[in-house]
Amino acid sequence: MLTRADSEYLCRVGPGTPMGELFRRFWLPATLTWELPEPDGAPVRLRLLGEDLVLWRDFTGAIGAIRDACPHRGASMFFGRNEESGLRCVYHGWKFDTSGTCVDMPNEPAESNFKHKIRATAYPCAEYADIVWIYMGPQSPAPGLPQLDWGDVPSSHRYSSKWDQACNWAQGLEGNVDSSHVGFLHKWFDPTASPEAANAGASRFEDRSPVLTVKETEFGYVYGARRTTATGYYWRLTPFILPCYTMVPGPASPGYPRRVDYTVPMDDEHTWWFRTIYREGRPLEPELVENYKAGAFHFPRMIPGTWHPVPNAANDYQIDREMQRKVNFTGIFNGREQDMAIVETMGKMFDRTIEHLGAADTAIIAFRRLIMRLARQLEQGVEPWAPNHPEVFRVRSVDFQDGEGDLGAVMDSHRQAMIAPLA
C-alpha cells in the first residue's frame, strides 16, 4: 500500500504538482484530428492536467492551444472568433495567434504599444497518427514527437477514439498492467459467446495466477505475465510507455490488430482515455471499424454527440444479473466497459492506504515506483531522459508460447518482435 501522502503525490497532476510537472515534459494526446476539421472552424474546449484550454485551427491549417481565459478580463476564448490567423476575444476584440502573441488590440489607441506587452498562455501542438498532440512543458523548442509504432501505418490501418473516465488517471493505467484480472473480470463461460470470440485466445484464461516479472527499459518498462499451459509457458509482454501509455497484447493470431491505450489526465479526478487499434500489414476492415464505433468490443458504447459512455455509475454500468449468472463473470457487456466499471467504482481517487497488494500486483508496484522516482528526480533538477529521445517509444506488445521461464531470456529471444521498426 501507499501512504496517503504518496497516493496524493502519484495522482495529482495540476500546475505546480510534481507529477503534473513530469507529465508536462512529454508530448500528450490532446484531441482527435477530425475534431478540428477545417481552417477557421469552431474552437474546441479541452481540459488537460487541470488546465482549461481552447484548441483551434487557423486559416493556414496550424493548430493552436490557448488558455480558456483572455488575458484582458478573463473572458472565455471558446466564444472567440477564429479569423485571419488568430482567435479574437468577443468581449473587447483582443486577438491572439497560435503562439499566444497578441496581434491586435482594437479597443486601445492606435499609437499604443500595449499589445506588444501581452501574451496569452499558449502551448505548441502537432498532428501525428490522426491525433492532435500538445506539449505543455518548459522546453523551447519542444522535444521531438515520440516515434510510435502506430504512427507509421496509414490512416486506413488504424482507428482511434476517446472517452472520459470518471476517476484518476493512475487507476485506469494500473488496471492495464494487471494481468491476473483477465481470467476473472473478462471471463466468458462460453468463449464463443464473447464479442471477441473469433480471437479470444484461450491460453490467457487457463492459468489465472500468472507469474509476473518486470524489466525497466529506456521507454518505461516491460512486464511479462507467464502462464503455465498444457504445452509449456504462455507469455504476454506488456510495455508501459512513459508517461501514461500501455500496450496490452491481444491473441497471437495472424493479422489480429494491435492496441494501445493512453490514460491522459484531464484533472485529478477525470481521465481522457484514448485508444488506438492498428495493424501493419493491411487496412482495418470497414465492418471492424463500424463495430468499434458502435462499442461492440474494445470501445465503450457512447452517448451520441458526447464523449460519455452509455454504461456509467448512474445506471450501474447496465449490469445484467442474468448475464452474470449464465454468460460472463461480471454481467457487463464488453471488456472495455467491464474495466471502466471496476476502476470508476474504486472512487474518483482511490484511497491506496487501504489496499493489500500481492505477487499478482508486481507490475502495479513497479509502475508506481518508476513514475514517482522520475517525478522526485525532476524536483531535484534531473530532467527525464525519454522525452528527448523520441526513437525509444517505438515498441510493441507481444504474446506467444515459449519454453523459456525467465523474462530476460524471453525478451532477448523476442526482441525483434517487440522493436521490429527499429531493427
Side-chain angles (χ1 to χ4, degrees), residues 118-129:
I118 302 297
R119 288 188 66 85
T121 298
Y123 299 114
C125 294
E127 296 179 78
Y128 176 52

Side-chain angles (χ1 to χ4, degrees), residues 124-197:
C125 294
E127 296 179 78
Y128 176 52
D130 304 324
I131 290 173
V132 177
W133 298 73
I134 188 170
Y135 177 73
M136 301 172 67
Q139 185 171 323
S140 183
L145 283 164
Q147 297 177 21
L148 305 169
D149 184 38
W150 59 97
D152 290 341
V153 304
S155 292
S156 59
H157 291 47
R158 63 176 174 246
Y159 172 75
S160 296
S161 189
K162 68 176 187 179
W163 55 93
D164 58 9
Q165 189 156 290
C167 67
N168 179 263
W169 71 278
Q171 276 167 240
L173 193 147
E174 288 172 357
N176 265 24
V177 294
D178 171 11
S179 191
S180 70
H181 82 267
V182 172
F184 299 91
L185 184 67
H186 303 317
K187 179 179 177 62
W188 288 71
F189 303 134
D190 176 4
T192 63
S194 164
E196 300 182 65

Side-chain angles (χ1 to χ4, degrees), residues 11 13 26 102 108 132 182 200 205 234-235 255 283 306 326 360 387 421:
C11 294
V13 293
F26 294 82
C102 185
E108 289 291 310
V132 177
V182 172
F205 300 106
Y234 169 64
W235 281 93
T306 77
K326 298 180 178 180

Side-chain angles (χ1 to χ4, degrees), residues 77-303:
M77 294 299 292
F78 171 76
F79 297 94
R81 297 175 59 87
N82 185 0
E83 56 184 29
E84 299 174 352
S85 288
L87 193 62
R88 188 184 296 276
C89 178
V90 295
Y91 198 4
H92 297 95
W94 289 21
K95 180 179 174 182
F96 301 89
D97 68 13
T98 57
S99 72
T101 300
C102 185
V103 295
D104 193 21
M105 194 177 283
N107 71 329
E108 289 291 310
E111 65 273 15
S112 171
N113 70 346
F114 188 32
K115 74 176 182 181
H116 301 299
K117 301 177 182 179
I118 302 297
R119 288 188 66 85
T121 298
Y123 299 114
C125 294
E127 296 179 78
Y128 176 52
D130 304 324
I131 290 173
V132 177
W133 298 73
I134 188 170
Y135 177 73
M136 301 172 67
Q139 185 171 323
S140 183
L145 283 164
Q147 297 177 21
L148 305 169
D149 184 38
W150 59 97
D152 290 341
V153 304
S155 292
S156 59
H157 291 47
R158 63 176 174 246
Y159 172 75
S160 296
S161 189
K162 68 176 187 179
W163 55 93
D164 58 9
Q165 189 156 290
C167 67
N168 179 263
W169 71 278
Q171 276 167 240
L173 193 147
E174 288 172 357
N176 265 24
V177 294
D178 171 11
S179 191
S180 70
H181 82 267
V182 172
F184 299 91
L185 184 67
H186 303 317
K187 179 179 177 62
W188 288 71
F189 303 134
D190 176 4
T192 63
S194 164
E196 300 182 65
N199 295 288
S203 296
R204 53 185 164 162
F205 300 106
E206 290 180 18
D207 180 353
R208 297 197 291 178
S209 56
V211 176
L212 304 187
T213 316
V214 177
K215 184 173 182 179
E216 286 198 15
T217 65
E218 294 173 327
F219 57 80
Y221 73 59
V222 172
Y223 90 89
R226 192 192 74 195
R227 289 171 167 84
T228 301
T229 71
T231 57
Y233 291 126
Y234 169 64
W235 281 93
R236 301 179 84 205
L237 302 189
T238 299
F240 159 59
I241 304 171
L242 291 165
C244 59
Y245 315 139
T246 50
M247 301 185 74
V248 178
S253 303
Y256 190 82
R258 301 180 186 276
R259 186 181 91 207
V260 58
D261 293 311
Y262 329 57
T263 52
V264 186
M266 190 184 307
D267 52 35
D268 296 342
E269 297 184 345
H270 302 85
T271 300
W272 283 120
W273 192 298
F274 287 78
R275 173 166 284 181
T276 297
I277 306 288
Y278 72 104
R279 185 163 56 201
E280 301 91 355
R282 66 180 191 274
L284 298 175
E285 293 80 4
E287 59 272 20
L288 192 61
V289 174
E290 289 305 310
N291 279 338
Y292 295 154
K293 291 179 179 179
F297 59 94
H298 282 321
F299 295 88
R301 293 163 291 166
M302 305 291 286
I303 299 172

Side-chain angles (χ1 to χ4, degrees), residues 307-382:
W307 297 118
H308 308 312
V310 170
N312 55 62
N315 56 31
D316 292 325
Y317 302 92
Q318 298 187 328
I319 186 171
D320 183 331
R321 295 296 184 178
E322 187 68 13
M323 176 186 288
Q324 188 177 39
R325 282 191 292 271
K326 298 180 178 180
V327 180
N328 68 21
F329 203 72
T330 61
I332 297 172
F333 176 62
N334 72 20
R336 179 60 250 156
E337 294 170 2
Q338 294 159 4
D339 283 325
M340 181 177 62
I342 292 305
V343 297
E344 287 188 355
T345 55
M346 294 163 65
K348 297 285 189 180
M349 280 179 48
F350 174 56
D351 180 3
R352 290 173 172 80
T353 66
I354 66 172
E355 68 186 0
H356 298 82
L357 302 185
D361 305 303
T362 296
I364 293 172
I365 295 168
F367 152 69
R368 294 177 186 175
R369 287 176 175 169
L370 173 59
I371 200 80
M372 292 170 71
R373 184 177 78 232
L374 293 176
R376 291 191 171 107
Q377 289 174 346
L378 182 57
E379 284 188 282
Q380 297 167 3
V382 180

